[in-house]
Amino acid sequence: MRLGINLGYWGLGMDADNIAVAQEADRLGYSVCWAAEAYGSDAATVLSFVAARTERIDVGSAIFQIPARTPAMTAMTAATLDTLSGGRFRLGLGVSGPQVSEGWYGVKFDKPLARTREYVEIIRKAMSRERLVHEGQHWTLPLPGGPGKPIKLTVHPVREHIPLYIAAIGPKNLELTGEIADGWLGIFFSPEHAGLSLDALRAGREKSGLTLDGFDLCPTVNIVVGEDIKAGVDSLRSYAALYIGGMGSKDKNFYNQLARRMGYEQAADEVQEKYLAKDYAGAAAAVPHDLIDATALIGDTARIADRMQAYAEAGVTTLTLAPGGFGLDERIQALRTGVEALERAGLA
């Protein structure tokens, strides 16, 4: 099992620290450094900066939002980043959510599965450097009846195949991810509930005549190093409440639905109700201790090593750590503890 690092969102006051974290992860042999985007910093610019300041570590988008760019533009960006980084780019995609898609980008959040399938088809065509022709429900290239003509990408990526990941939570999106992607970007993944994700991913792979062998299972997990487990859990309550209670809309919150599938229906209701009522402290307090502990790495090196073993046994191939919300020293220590724990678990 390999390790990754997730820098999260740029522009939150830790930008200089983020570069130091990425460089330390590079030095320690981490496999990939991911950056995110929502409606603040864009991930492409951040990744180009990180790639310029590192040597070996891959850089990946977790995620590029599908409503933010046309598929051809995403192919151009991926090819450019792969070239500038010397073949170190990984393309992670996601549909975002209805509030961002419609409120920020002005793109209707409808038929996300069909849109994702077409989006990936166009990207793969473009990056293969064949002349781009596509007739679909969401995109037609070239546009009919006009001056457009089939053209092809002029940039030559370093690799013939840039790894493509999809961030997915719901069963149907997970199945699609298994069918058309090279890897999966997960969140709130618990080894004890691995089947909620892996069964659908496996079904998708079977549709393409494949297995999970060679498919990168890549969940992001928070890491908190320390002896006090309760304190570690409590430090992640606001983060969990934001996702379970405040992401998306009341009727379309994928993280809330995931918590329900994990067996926390009553808690998911309470967290969302309090969060939407702006009782953020109450929402954080309502997140179950066990839910946070099961979906994060919390404790000393030995305990974290045990949890890493559970993730590996569940099938995870790249475990991405998110030591966010701490000072630089704590984040660097979390990176080093991750390597120590991986070695202690015999997974390095």
Side-chain angles (χ1 to χ4, degrees):
M1 188 171 71
R2 301 173 295 275
L3 292 179
I5 175 71
N6 195 321
L7 299 179
Y9 302 111
W10 205 260
L12 299 180
M14 301 186 296
D15 297 351
D17 288 358
N18 277 339
I19 288 297
V21 168
Q23 289 174 329
E24 180 66 6
D26 190 25
R27 187 188 71 80
L28 290 169
Y30 276 63
S31 175
V32 59
C33 176
W34 304 95
E37 64 183 20
Y39 43 94
S41 59
D42 75 286
T45 307
V46 171
L47 293 172
S48 65
F49 188 52
V50 171
R53 303 291 295 274
T54 55
E55 297 178 2
R56 295 170 299 277
I57 194 168
D58 282 5
V59 292
S61 55
I63 54 165
F64 282 167
Q65 298 167 104
I66 285 175
R69 302 169 181 83
T70 66
M73 182 67 221
T74 296
M76 291 168 59
T77 304
T80 305
L81 280 167
D82 198 54
T83 302
L84 291 175
S85 66
R88 291 189 284 141
F89 179 64
R90 305 187 193 184
L91 174 59
L93 302 171
V95 295
S96 188
Q99 290 181 327
V100 174
S101 183
E102 299 190 13
W104 187 247
Y105 296 116
V107 176
K108 190 72 175 175
F109 192 81
D110 61 346
K111 301 181 180 178
L113 299 181
R115 187 183 297 271
T116 299
R117 184 184 292 277
E118 275 193 49
Y119 200 88
V120 170
E121 287 175 1
I122 295 170
I123 287 172
R124 291 203 189 278
K125 285 180 184 178
M127 290 199 298
S128 71
R129 302 192 68 251
E130 64 179 89
R131 294 195 179 275
L132 190 53
V133 176
H134 179 85
E135 294 185 12
Q137 181 180 3
H138 299 280
W139 290 276
T140 300
L141 300 167
L143 285 175
K149 64 179 183 179
I151 53 180
K152 65 180 180 179
L153 185 70
T154 60
V155 176
H156 292 255
V158 174
R159 294 165 295 171
E160 291 185 5
H161 184 85
I162 294 175
L164 189 150
Y165 295 70
I166 295 176
I169 298 174
K172 292 182 179 179
N173 200 8
L174 285 162
E175 187 171 323
L176 178 67
T177 298
E179 182 183 352
I180 67 175
D182 303 306
W184 167 62
L185 300 174
I187 189 171
F188 292 112
F189 178 82
S190 162
E192 291 74 26
H193 298 88
L196 293 176
S197 303
L198 269 56
D199 289 350
L201 288 166
R202 190 176 291 109
R205 298 297 284 171
E206 290 173 355
K207 281 187 174 182
S208 295
L210 300 168
T211 69
L212 287 176
D213 290 342
F215 186 82
D216 196 9
L217 296 169
C218 184
T220 290
V221 298
N222 289 292
I223 177 170
V224 182
V225 181
E227 300 288 340
D228 190 335
I229 305 303
K230 182 180 182 302
V233 167
D234 289 345
S235 72
L236 297 175
R237 286 188 175 280
S238 294
Y239 168 85
L242 168 63
Y243 279 83
I244 297 170
M247 286 290 189
S249 62
K250 179 175 175 57
D251 298 324
K252 195 170 287 187
N253 180 326
F254 306 121
Y255 310 97
N256 188 279
Q257 293 166 8
L258 175 60
R260 292 172 182 279
R261 291 197 298 274
M262 293 172 67
Y264 297 101
E265 294 93 342
Q266 183 175 345
D269 278 339
E270 183 179 357
V271 171
Q272 186 178 61
E273 180 181 347
K274 290 184 175 180
Y275 200 95
L276 295 180
K278 298 186 178 181
D279 178 9
Y280 303 129
V287 180
H289 175 106
D290 290 347
L291 188 158
I292 295 174
D293 193 26
T295 56
L297 299 173
I298 302 171
D300 58 16
T301 303
R303 191 173 193 265
I304 290 173
D306 287 344
R307 290 303 291 163
M308 283 187 172
Q309 184 67 52
Y311 276 95
E313 290 175 356
V316 171
T317 48
T318 302
L319 188 64
T320 296
L321 308 184
F326 306 102
L328 178 58
D329 289 344
E330 288 84 1
R331 296 175 75 195
I332 294 294
Q333 182 56 50
L335 285 179
R336 294 172 181 170
T337 298
V339 172
E340 293 169 5
L342 193 75
E343 293 174 348
R344 181 168 183 150
L347 300 169

